[in-house]
Amino acid sequence: MDLTTTYLGLTLKSPLVPSAAAPLTEDIDNIKRMEDSGAAAVVLHSLFEEQLLREKFELHHHLQYGTESFAEALTYFPEPDEYHVGPELYLEHIRQAKASVDIPIIASLNGFSSGGWVEYAQLMQEAGADAIELNIYYVPTDPNMTGEQVERNYIDTLRDVEAEVSLPVSLKLSPFFSNFANMAQRLDDAGAKGLVLFNRFYQPDIDLDNLEVYPHVLLSTPHEMRLPMRWIALLYGQIQADLAATSGIQRGTDVIKMMMAGAKITQICSVLLRHGIEYIRTLEREIQHWMDEHEYESIQQMQGSMSQMYCPDKSAYERAQYMKAVTSHEPDYDPEQVISR
């Protein structure tokens, strides 16, 4: 049974790709286990530009602090540029991963400034990454910034990186655009080789006992796959960029649904954090079992088959189905008993 697919110009043995799942991908032994369990490629944890800048500034402060006190101290330390700070550990991680496994290694870059993205993307390429995923985790809070300005930042970032590296570049996006179809088309025109749908923004919570705001990470659940599946089905055949599905993928049948919608791969994270890295084997067996029962010979045979392009009722993915869905819903309780209470 042929599970092979293609993504970013890479031929992959299956659509099962662990995503930027820190802390899982921070350990080389884990990446080896992912390959042994059937992963077709691995997206490394993200390199955060803010962290690199903070480390650089802190090092500069400590190197310069007190150097004016004694004349002989002026040249005691080398200049900050001579230190290997920030990205070196990440770049060495790429090199070790490439030397340890045969599957493609996709580096992940989470940045915010044009110069920063370009500099680190070049270093990732030199370290041997097979592709780069730009994980744009940007929440605009300036009320004077327009939607067009926000979108322009994405396009300019992509073009800046594309101009300096020869690797295929994908973007991991949020769904929060006024017209996501238009945004996807513009990124496609700007040279994106892949779009990963969708990034999950981790929302903060409030600790009522200590009156503090704190991060509260919630693993994804199956119902969250509906949004990326819908947009992948809408975009399939409309753009050239490969489509990758992420969020809520917990079962082999979830992978199959994404393939039928039009995805080239599925990026999995929460399911591995819940059940362990070896669960990749279970997902692969579930895919093979379903394909065998339904007489599918290959993944490519099903890709896009249930997209809007091939759906007899094209409104099924649009608003026209809203009233049908609402009116056909059957509650799992007795309305009369609720009213009587």
Side-chain angles (χ1 to χ4, degrees), residues 10-85:
L10 305 167
T11 299
L12 306 181
K13 61 184 179 182
S14 83
L16 298 171
V17 177
S19 65
L24 292 183
T25 59
E26 294 177 347
D27 186 278
I28 294 297
D29 288 338
N30 282 345
I31 296 175
K32 293 179 182 178
R33 289 169 58 202
M34 289 175 181
E35 181 182 44
D36 293 341
S37 299
V42 171
V43 182
L44 297 181
H45 57 286
S46 291
L47 176 65
F48 286 87
E49 185 183 350
E50 297 97 327
Q51 178 183 355
L52 302 176
L53 290 175
R54 183 170 62 249
E55 290 176 358
K56 184 173 182 178
F57 290 148
E58 287 179 356
L59 176 61
H60 181 76
H61 166 74
H62 291 298
L63 292 183
Q64 297 301 315
Y65 183 77
T67 56
E68 298 298 330
S69 302
F70 303 96
E72 61 269 23
L74 293 178
T75 57
Y76 185 80
F77 292 113
E79 288 298 311
D81 289 341
E82 296 177 28
Y83 273 81
H84 297 292
V85 297

Side-chain angles (χ1 to χ4, degrees), residues 7 20 43 106-109 131-135 170-172 196 267:
Y7 179 64
V43 182
I106 302 174
S108 176
L109 178 56
I132 295 176
E133 180 177 288
L134 301 182
N135 187 346
S170 64
L171 287 93
K172 191 171 187 178
V196 184
Q267 292 192 5

Side-chain angles (χ1 to χ4, degrees), residues 229-249:
M229 183 174 68
R230 180 191 192 193
W231 273 107
I232 288 171
L234 288 168
L235 293 174
Y236 179 81
Q238 305 298 318
I239 60 175
Q240 297 298 315
D242 293 335
L243 298 168
T246 188
S247 293
I249 299 165

Side-chain angles (χ1 to χ4, degrees), residues 62-207:
H62 291 298
L63 292 183
Q64 297 301 315
Y65 183 77
T67 56
E68 298 298 330
S69 302
F70 303 96
E72 61 269 23
L74 293 178
T75 57
Y76 185 80
F77 292 113
E79 288 298 311
D81 289 341
E82 296 177 28
Y83 273 81
H84 297 292
V85 297
E88 275 305 314
L89 290 177
Y90 190 92
L91 299 175
E92 182 59 27
H93 191 62
I94 294 176
R95 298 186 191 101
Q96 291 181 11
K98 287 296 296 177
S100 302
V101 298
D102 295 324
I103 57 177
I105 297 297
I106 302 174
S108 176
L109 178 56
N110 191 316
F112 60 91
S113 70
S114 176
W117 289 88
V118 172
E119 176 186 356
Y120 301 131
Q122 289 173 324
L123 293 173
M124 290 173 171
Q125 176 172 279
E126 294 171 5
D130 295 286
I132 295 176
E133 180 177 288
L134 301 182
N135 187 346
I136 303 182
Y137 197 114
Y138 176 62
V139 181
T141 58
D142 182 356
N144 296 314
M145 178 177 281
T146 66
E148 172 58 29
Q149 289 174 312
V150 173
E151 294 175 2
R152 176 52 55 188
N153 286 340
Y154 281 72
I155 304 248
D156 289 345
T157 295
L158 171 62
R159 285 179 173 160
D160 289 342
V161 173
E162 283 277 352
E164 299 298 332
V165 299
S166 57
L167 294 179
V169 178
S170 64
L171 287 93
K172 191 171 187 178
L173 301 169
S174 80
F176 305 124
F177 294 94
S178 59
N179 183 351
F180 186 80
N182 175 260
M183 189 62 187
Q185 181 65 68
R186 292 169 66 190
L187 291 169
D188 186 44
D189 293 341
K193 298 302 184 293
L195 300 180
V196 184
L197 312 185
F198 286 110
N199 202 343
R200 295 178 70 236
F201 284 1
Y202 293 107
Q203 315 294 351
D205 203 346
I206 296 177
D207 182 344

